[in-house]
Amino acid sequence: MDSVARMRAKQAHPGLALCGIRKAFGPIVALDGVNLEVKSGEFLTILGPSGSGKTTLLKIVAGFELPEEGDVLLGGEDMTFTAPARRNVGMVFQNYALFPHMDVRHNIAFPLEVRRLPQDEIDRRVRTALELVDLKGYEQRFPRQLSGGQQQRVALARAIVFDPQLLLLDEPFGALDRKLREAMQLEVRRLQRHLGLTTVFITHDQEEALILSDRIAVMDHGRIQQIGLPRELYERPANAFVADFVGESNVLFGSIAAMREGHAEIGFDNALRLTARADLAVGTRVGALIRPERLRLGAAGTQSINRLCGEVIETIYLGTSHKYRVRLTNGTEFLVRLRAPASQASAEIGTSLTLDVAPEDVHVFRHE
């Protein structure tokens, strides 16, 4: 990064800015020119499958790995080659990384003791951190005497006790059962908002990302595929990978066959036709996304722009909804999610279904 670009980045990005980050391990490119901005006080999630590069990116931000190219700016200051201990960054690992020979108090106090703060200041900050994570009275317990959720709270208290500029969370809920994981998600989000901490969260769980995030950056093969608000990524994914990875989806590939007053008729290889709101040239190769919950039962005796007929080949009861796998008459399979009133039983395998989807519920994206 040249001096002018660096000065502009310092002025514009008081949170975290990653500029052109590249990292390879032998022939494997883990990060391929990543650019990312995290606003001050923002909760940003990096979402992606295993091997997408998200953990490597987090390690570079923390200082545990060095990039081959690019810059790491924190609060406008270049931290690219600064030692981890000098970055003022708090981190919570998936395995918590607590010191087993230290009690709760000393685990939390450790980063303050390393910084050689006065004892009365250490005591004050530890008390405050314990209250924030609701662990007052647990000071003398050891990690082996705590539940998984309590250990995570200790790790979180240790990460925030020294008032970091940035908090990094590396899949911290992976070892918890579902109920506790959901409770801790809300607890971490509450604490982050209360403290106004700039936070980067790593996960492969798309539902978790949608629940927690101000914005989400979706990664694959060392590149950021799309950054946006949770709703933007779910409703308007930029490409096939994001459409498939974020939420359940029906994605079909075809081309624009005709355009009529802002509506595109999309033709697919299996003779299926769909109409969607789009403004693309005839012949453009596209992907068409339909979320399972956007499909509706077609009413008898009515007409629909997009009417699909098929047979139920799988049925799953989910409490508030029924999920079906439906094979259309042309062989295409669709996932369908319909509300489940108490008086309505699931459709049995072999049942014929008529489905409608509105043109505005068919999201179209270019697909090369």
Side-chain angles (χ1 to χ4, degrees), residues 2-22:
D2 61 37
S3 59
V4 174
R6 189 185 302 277
M7 183 172 293
R8 287 175 179 170
K10 286 184 178 183
Q11 293 172 348
H13 311 303
L16 172 70
L18 304 178
C19 310
I21 300 296
R22 187 183 188 281

Side-chain angles (χ1 to χ4, degrees), residues 44-265:
L44 182 133
T45 294
I46 300 176
L47 173 67
S50 298
S52 61
K54 58 187 187 297
T55 297
T56 300
L57 190 64
L58 197 75
K59 288 180 178 179
I60 285 175
V61 173
F64 301 137
E65 294 280 359
L66 297 178
E68 295 165 7
E69 299 176 12
D71 299 280
V72 178
L73 303 179
L74 181 59
E77 297 298 321
D78 191 338
M79 295 285 173
T80 310
F81 300 105
T82 302
R86 297 176 59 84
R87 295 194 181 206
N88 199 27
V89 172
M91 188 163 184
V92 179
F93 300 90
Q94 184 174 359
N95 62 359
Y96 315 135
L98 299 178
F99 299 114
H101 62 287
M102 291 185 183
D103 61 18
V104 167
R105 184 199 172 281
H106 285 92
N107 262 286
I108 297 173
F110 181 77
L112 303 175
E113 292 169 347
V114 169
R115 288 165 172 79
R116 300 183 182 280
L117 268 65
Q119 189 59 52
D120 59 344
E121 179 67 6
I122 291 175
D123 293 340
R124 184 189 67 79
R125 291 198 183 198
V126 170
R127 284 196 303 270
T128 300
L130 284 165
E131 290 173 0
L132 284 171
V133 299
D134 198 24
L135 281 179
K136 188 176 180 180
Y138 287 75
E139 293 88 342
Q140 295 182 349
R141 297 195 187 185
F142 288 85
R144 64 179 180 275
Q145 297 173 308
L146 304 174
S147 67
Q150 289 167 340
Q151 289 182 42
Q152 187 183 65
R153 288 169 187 265
V154 175
L156 186 59
R158 185 178 62 185
I160 64 174
V161 73
F162 58 93
D163 191 24
Q165 283 181 271
L166 178 67
L167 177 62
L168 304 178
L169 303 171
D170 186 12
E171 304 210 40
F173 309 123
L176 304 178
D177 62 64
R178 183 178 181 86
K179 187 174 181 179
L180 183 55
R181 183 167 67 246
E182 291 174 351
M184 287 304 303
Q185 288 168 358
L186 298 177
E187 182 69 16
V188 166
R189 190 63 167 116
R190 179 198 64 78
L191 184 62
Q192 184 268 338
R193 283 175 172 158
H194 175 73
L195 298 174
L197 275 172
T198 306
T199 301
V200 177
F201 177 72
I202 297 289
T203 186
H204 63 273
D205 187 324
Q206 48 87 19
E207 182 178 342
E208 190 168 75
L210 292 172
I211 290 170
L212 287 170
S213 312
D214 291 318
R215 289 190 302 150
I216 301 171
V218 181
M219 285 195 70
D220 187 43
H221 289 97
R223 296 182 178 182
I224 293 178
Q225 301 294 315
Q226 186 176 357
I227 305 174
L229 301 174
R231 183 165 185 167
E232 290 174 351
L233 266 66
Y234 187 82
E235 300 285 352
R236 304 191 64 80
N239 56 39
F241 176 81
V242 178
D244 182 62
F245 192 74
V246 180
E248 291 185 316
S249 60
N250 301 294
V251 182
L252 304 171
F253 301 101
S255 58
I256 305 295
M259 287 295 304
R260 298 183 183 87
E261 299 179 349
H263 284 72
E265 182 180 331

